[in-house]
Amino acid sequence: MTALDTPPFPAPVLGEPYLLTPGPLTTSYGVKEAMLRDWGSWDGDFRAMTAELRARLLAMAGDTDGTFDCVPLQGSGSYCVEAMLGSFVPKDGKVLVLANGAYGQRAAETLRYLGRDHTLIDKGDFLPPRGAEVAKALAADLAITHVIAIHCETSSGILNPLAEIAEATEAAGRKLLIDSMSAFGALPVNVHDIRFEALVSSANKCIEGVPGFGFVIARKTALDAAKGISHSLCLDLHAQWAYMNKTGQWRYTPPTHTVAAFMEALRLHEAEGGPEGRLTRYTRNRDVMVRGMREAGFETLLVDRWLSPIIVTFFTPADPAFSFDGFYQAMKNKGFIIYPGKLTAVDSFRIGCIGRMDEHVMTRVVVAAKEALAEMGVTDAAPPAAALEERARLAG
Ligand SMILES: *Cc1c(COP(=O)(O)O)cnc(C)c1O
């Protein structure tokens, strides 16, 4: 561990802004440094890293008896979601998509591309799909074979109630697929607590690696049954799994430097106390940031109950002196990259809580936001009354 990695997490590299985004995010100096070496993809040293990576991720998911396996796959997170849907949902299957934001919508769009029958429970931007609704939808449509749930819907920052969704899906005898992209590694997902068929996440979210690959944690029975289902050569999880088990190698060129960086990220993750340690830090990040932003007059999109410790969405202030572009630039000048909103109905922006930073950094984020408002001449950061009425109506 270098001095730069010790709390209170000073700027990652001198002059580099913090990324207050849902990934790629701010990584430690050690993670970046791990990429300074070249690896032969067929070499035993690299194969050993791949094996260790798979074993560590399985352990993180609580698989103690080898019921599950971990299959890493080149590409960003969406490639893994597409691989999961294309490999595990048979051509005559049907998927219930639980949507409450952009990533649920993307899962549905992926199924359209794949030509897989699907239906949607769409809760808009504000609300989680509940277990009872899932049970009702499954009872009403016996053709549904799979349910896909978004663990943390990163577009709104809503933390969906995975446990009750998993219970309803299991009770109805269907299979659960989980997009845990922005949650795995911080929010608990133990295979003994949540019954699922497969889950995906990626290198550059809560495990704090750099982008380049994702991974699927799936039941071996599901991986076995996936043979011959995929429409795609490159996104065939069964083929990737079988080849990896046989040779220890990835099919096709792996992102070697990203994998090396990820090994260091996993080491830091463990040193911090695993998912629990990370959740503690992210929760503190969120609490300090949300408290400060509310003091400054900003309003969160969500009521506290559904606020994730991953990313928080704020309403855009109604004050005509406010513009997102002006605010973004002012924040960037102060060393913080924030994130635009991704909601369908109201104007918003987002501030991430994940990445290599702690509450001291978050305190500085709040100071920067207050300064940015003053520089823009914004006297009141409150959202338009209509946005608050909409929130009250829908959350009520
Ligand atoms: C980040 C993310 C993805 C994948 O996004 P990529 O840009 O393809 O890495 C998918 N689902 C959720 C919930 C995410 O947060």
Side-chain angles (χ1 to χ4, degrees):
M1 196 179 269
T2 69
L4 282 175
D5 282 334
T6 53
F9 303 100
V13 165
L14 215 55
E16 188 185 318
Y18 282 97
L19 301 180
L20 299 161
T21 61
L25 34 72
T26 294
T27 58
S28 80
Y29 188 82
V31 165
K32 289 187 258 278
E33 197 177 35
M35 291 186 286
L36 290 174
R37 178 183 158 178
D38 303 314
W39 301 82
S41 60
W42 38 263
D43 183 71
D45 292 345
F46 185 74
R47 275 185 279 171
M49 282 205 291
T50 298
E52 186 185 339
L53 173 156
R54 296 173 69 195
R56 279 181 176 242
L57 290 172
L58 280 171
M60 208 182 285
D63 178 57
T64 42
D65 58 6
T67 305
F68 285 76
D69 210 344
C70 172
V71 187
L73 184 74
Q74 298 92 328
S76 85
S78 301
Y79 291 62
C80 288
V81 174
E82 185 162 337
M84 173 172 75
L85 293 170
S87 300
F88 296 136
V89 180
K91 294 195 171 66
D92 58 356
K94 181 171 181 181
V95 183
L96 173 63
V97 180
L98 307 181
N100 54 348
Y103 291 103
Q105 297 293 344
R106 189 179 297 175
E109 192 181 7
T110 307
L111 289 162
R112 262 195 303 281
Y113 267 75
L114 296 177
R116 296 291 195 281
D117 197 8
H118 58 281
T119 181
L120 219 64
I121 293 181
D122 189 351
K123 302 295 305 248
D125 290 331
F126 294 80
L127 295 172
R130 302 303 302 258
E133 294 170 281
V134 175
K136 202 171 147 211
L138 293 178
D141 187 349
L142 297 177
I144 294 169
T145 53
H146 293 74
V147 175
I148 180 162
I150 314 297
H151 192 174
C152 171
E153 176 46 78
T154 324
S155 55
S156 58
I158 196 163
L159 182 56
N160 284 317
L162 198 56
E164 63 183 49
I165 292 168
E167 268 167 41
T169 306
E170 185 186 4
R174 319 299 169 82
K175 291 169 174 165
L176 180 64
L177 306 174
I178 304 172
D179 172 352
S180 187
M181 210 68 69
S182 62
F184 188 78
L187 291 157
V189 218
N190 190 299
V191 298
H192 297 293
D193 302 332
I194 307 273
R195 175 149 190 119
F196 63 87
E197 196 75 352
L199 164 157
V200 283
S201 187
S202 71
N204 61 287
K205 297 215 170 168
C206 296
I207 301 174
E208 300 186 355
V210 301
F213 73 93
F215 50 88
V216 180
I217 291 173
R219 282 179 193 279
K220 285 177 179 165
T221 50
L223 285 161
D224 261 327
K227 187 171 185 179
I229 291 183
S230 181
H231 62 295
S232 161
L233 172 71
C234 293
L235 299 181
D236 184 341
L237 284 176
H238 175 85
Q240 178 90 335
W241 177 60
Y243 185 83
M244 215 169 247
N245 281 352
K246 195 166 132 209
T247 65
Q249 297 174 39
W250 301 48
R251 278 183 323 157
Y252 323 138
T253 301
T256 46
H257 299 74
T258 299
V259 171
F262 193 70
M263 300 315 287
E264 175 61 12
L266 282 171
R267 199 188 63 71
L268 291 171
H269 185 269
E270 188 174 283
E272 195 177 351
E276 272 170 53
R278 203 135 284 191
L279 182 60
T280 302
R281 174 160 61 87
Y282 290 170
T283 302
R284 229 181 268 138
N285 284 354
R286 177 198 62 194
D287 291 346
V288 166
M289 188 263 291
V290 167
R291 197 184 318 124
M293 291 293 281
R294 282 177 175 160
E295 266 167 32
F298 289 99
E299 292 268 357
T300 58
L301 168 77
L302 302 171
V303 295
D304 286 358
R305 179 171 180 199
W306 303 114
L307 273 186
S308 75
I310 305 298
I311 190 164
V312 177
T313 299
F314 293 93
F315 288 117
T316 298
D319 191 323
F322 186 93
S323 76
F324 176 75
D325 291 344
F327 187 62
Y328 179 90
Q329 202 50 54
M331 291 296 284
K332 184 175 173 182
N333 292 343
K334 297 170 196 302
F336 302 106
I337 302 261
I338 61 167
Y339 214 55
K342 208 177 194 177
L343 300 177
T344 45
V346 290
D347 286 335
S348 62
F349 66 91
R350 291 178 285 173
I351 297 185
C353 315
I354 62 179
R356 196 97 191 132
M357 55 192 121
D358 68 359
E359 74 221 67
H360 302 286
V361 175
M362 288 312 201
T363 302
R364 286 162 47 203
V365 171
V366 172
V367 171
K370 288 178 180 165
E371 288 172 1
L373 288 181
E375 286 164 22
M376 295 170 80
V378 175
T379 50
D380 184 357
L388 291 180
E389 280 160 24
E390 177 82 346
R391 179 180 68 179
R393 191 175 68 76
L394 288 164

